[in-house]
Every structure is written in structure tokens, then in C-alpha cells.
Amino acid sequence: SCDLGHQLFFCIFVMLMEEIKMENTWIYQGTEPIKIKKYLQSLGMGHRLFNDLKNGEGEFLVDHRKVRPTTQILPNQPLTIKAQPELADDTVEISNEPLNVVYEDDNWLVVDKPAGVTSIPGPTVQNDTVLNRVKGYLIANNSADLRPHLITRLDRFTGGLLLIAKHHIASSMISQQVQQHQMLKEYTALVVGQIMDEHGEINKPIGRKDGQAARVIDKNGQRALTEYWVEERDAKWTRVRIRLHTGRTHQIRIHFAAIGHPLIGDHLYGGDTSKYDHQLLHASKISFNDPFTLKQMTFTSELPATFLN
């Protein structure tokens, strides 16, 4: 009877999973027939994910009929992918602390992270990071997918916008934009002193400093390019709008320190800490091409009061 009970439970589990399969549908807008794989690759899908779907983790439907992955799509035909939802990662604890959701649909969450909250669990914080809060949020909202993927991350004391994929298909399909730096990310910072140029670029390679959290300017390091525009000046500080063209650890902080204008509050790179105990840096804008709707998605975040005083 125990074996029968286990079989029954397994059958019910399989039926439930079939019922809640995630679906995404595209209408092919090309003028010539195209194979499913090539079309999905043009949208950003990686080789590994396609193979996973092909080998049993998903289904392909054209005109709502299940087809082989080698099938060609005709102009104006709908292509649907069905995939099993991802179960929760038991190693990630649940947090029910507040989550400031700026935008949500079936594929994405955009949240506004307060300074002081860590992006993902690590040695110092395990149970109340953005990832923990997102897991709690998804559970509270009865989401089928319970394994969120942080596409962008921020230092603990950098606040602002984070993009989160709600499932592994979204994560895979946005990765190409991330790797090729096609995702627009803008920040606002308060830096020490007056920057006189209205616009500039900082093009200095960044490397590791052995055994330390701080990074250094290193001619043998990774290429790093930061662009900025001055928004406001005072006798002792400058507020700048910053666009990252590469994504190195601490890139903004070390680049402005390297040109003699460290971020206010940045103790790691020599900023003035007399008034603030952490860097005044805020992720104020994010823009990306949604591979599901094929529309440009742009989000902005208001600056905290500390940036406006």
C-alpha cells in the first residue's frame, strides 16, 4: 500500500506540474520560413536552454500544435514554448520583509532596492537579502516559479533598480544583452570636489588587489569604461549621471577615485565620510529589450533625499 500511495502521489504531482506549465508565445514576423532553433537564437535563447527544452524539459507548439524542435515556422505563425516551473531553492531562506516592486509581469520583476540591503546571500547576510525577499514575495503571490534569477546586482550600500528574471527561460534570453553590454544602466552619484567638464569618459582597466575587497587601476586588468554627465555642482561636491559601458566590480567607485573625485561616503576608496558612512550611489535607470514582447522596457528610480540636500 505504501508503494501504491507513492505512485498515486507521483501521478498527482505530474498532473499538477502539467497543469501549471509556463507558456511564452511569439508571432513570427519574418518573411521567410525559419527553423525554431534559429528563430529562438535570434531572440537571445542560448544553445544549452534550447537543448534542455528539446530533451524533455519543455515543448514546442506551432499554431497550438505540438511539433518537433526541427520544425520550420512560417511568417505570422505563433510559436509557443511550454516549460516546467522551477521549484524553490531550499538553501535560500524566505524573507517577508518589504519589497518595493516597480514593475512585474509573467517574466520580470523590477525592484527598487534600499541602500543597506544585500543583493544575494553571502557570508555576512544569509536570510534577508533581495533574493530572500523576492522568494517570499513569489510564495505569497502563489507563483509557480519559485527560483528567481537576479540579472543585475548592486553593492549592499548602493540603492536603486534591480532586474530579476522570474524563471530560467527569461534569465537565459536576457543573458546575451548583459554579456554584450546592450542593457542600459545609469547611476547617480555624489562625488567629492568639483568636476569642471560637463561630460567625460573614464577609460581605465581594473584589476584585483590580492586579499582585499578593494579593486585597483591596473594596466593588465579588465577593460572598464565609464561615461558621465555633470548634473549639479556645489563648492564641495558634484552630482553626476553615470552610464556603465562595462560591468566591473566597484567600477564607478574606483574610476571616480582614480580621477581625484571619490564618491562621498566611500570609505573604501577615500571618499569624505564625515557626514555619510556609505557611498552615495544610486541605480537610477535601467533599459533593456524585452525578448518576449520585443519592446524596449525602461524604468527610472527617484533619488533618495540624501542626493538632493
Side-chain angles (χ1 to χ4, degrees):
S1 61
C2 182
D3 288 343
L4 181 62
H6 284 151
Q7 290 174 14
L8 180 61
F9 174 82
F10 178 75
C11 289
I12 293 172
F13 176 78
V14 169
M15 287 190 293
L16 286 172
M17 293 298 282
E18 288 291 326
E19 282 293 317
I20 58 175
K21 272 187 178 178
M22 180 196 66
E23 291 190 19
N24 288 105
T25 299
W26 297 263
I27 305 296
Y28 174 49
Q29 300 294 328
T31 58
E32 299 292 334
I34 188 172
K35 286 190 174 182
I36 288 175
K37 181 176 183 178
K38 187 174 181 181
Y39 177 57
L40 291 174
Q41 285 178 331
S42 75
L43 298 174
M45 181 174 287
H47 180 74
R48 173 183 286 185
L49 174 58
F50 181 84
N51 280 345
D52 288 344
L53 295 170
K54 180 180 72 173
N55 294 325
E57 293 188 13
E59 298 176 358
F60 302 95
L61 296 88
V62 174
D63 276 335
H64 313 293
R65 297 189 303 271
K66 187 175 177 179
V67 299
R68 296 172 62 85
T70 53
T71 300
Q72 284 193 329
I73 319 169
L74 301 177
N76 299 315
Q77 276 192 315
L79 168 67
T80 299
I81 292 177
K82 288 187 177 182
Q84 301 288 0
E86 290 183 286
L87 301 179
D89 181 353
D90 292 337
T91 66
V92 176
E93 297 183 40
I94 298 168
S95 172
N96 294 311
E97 290 299 311
L99 188 71
N100 184 5
V101 177
V102 175
Y103 174 81
E104 180 178 11
D105 61 23
D106 291 340
N107 306 305
W108 310 109
L109 271 174
V110 179
V111 303
D112 202 335
K113 182 183 87 68
V117 176
T118 304
S119 293
I120 61 172
T124 56
V125 183
Q126 288 285 334
N127 56 8
D128 187 26
T129 70
V130 171
L131 188 64
N132 301 113
R133 294 186 184 194
V134 171
K135 182 177 180 179
Y137 175 85
L138 294 175
I139 290 172
N141 286 276
N142 300 312
S143 175
D145 281 281
L146 296 175
R147 193 180 291 249
H149 303 259
L150 268 66
I151 304 304
T152 59
R153 299 178 187 180
L154 297 172
D155 291 344
R156 179 178 179 181
F157 291 106
T158 299
L161 298 173
L162 284 173
L163 174 64
I164 300 158
K166 294 173 72 173
H167 51 79
H168 67 298
I169 292 180
S171 176
S172 172
M173 296 189 71
I174 199 72
S175 63
Q176 181 175 304
Q177 292 184 54
V178 175
Q179 292 166 5
Q180 298 180 3
H181 307 294
Q182 296 170 337
M183 182 180 294
L184 184 147
K185 293 184 287 186
E186 288 191 353
Y187 297 76
T188 300
L190 281 186
V191 304
V192 174
Q194 288 191 346
I195 298 178
M196 302 314 298
D197 295 332
E198 297 298 327
H199 169 255
E201 290 185 348
I202 308 170
N203 190 355
K204 296 178 181 293
I206 295 174
R208 288 181 173 273
K209 195 172 183 179
D210 290 342
Q212 298 187 32
R215 300 301 200 261
V216 295
I217 301 299
D218 180 356
K219 65 179 182 180
N220 297 316
Q222 293 179 300
R223 175 179 175 270
L225 177 60
T226 303
E227 187 175 9
Y228 66 86
W229 295 261
V230 169
E231 292 194 322
E232 186 178 358
R233 294 185 186 88
D234 191 74
K236 295 183 178 179
W237 54 260
T238 303
R239 189 169 80 232
V240 288
R241 176 169 60 92
I242 301 161
R243 183 173 298 177
L244 287 181
H245 295 281
T246 54
R248 310 305 175 204
T249 300
H250 295 179
Q251 179 173 320
I252 291 172
R253 298 165 64 185
I254 188 172
H255 266 178
F256 279 91
I259 64 170
H261 298 283
L263 273 60
I264 291 176
D266 192 347
H267 63 90
L268 194 59
Y269 295 103
D272 180 2
T273 58
S274 60
K275 189 175 180 181
Y276 301 102
D277 61 359
H278 66 271
Q279 70 271 9
L280 293 191
L281 180 63
H282 188 76
S284 50
K285 183 176 182 179
I286 189 167
S287 183
F288 64 97
N289 183 42
D290 187 337
F292 299 100
T293 64
L294 307 183
K295 295 179 180 178
Q296 193 71 21
M297 307 287 281
T298 301
F299 305 95
T300 57
S301 169
E302 292 186 6
L303 292 176
T306 48
F307 287 75
L308 305 173
N309 292 337

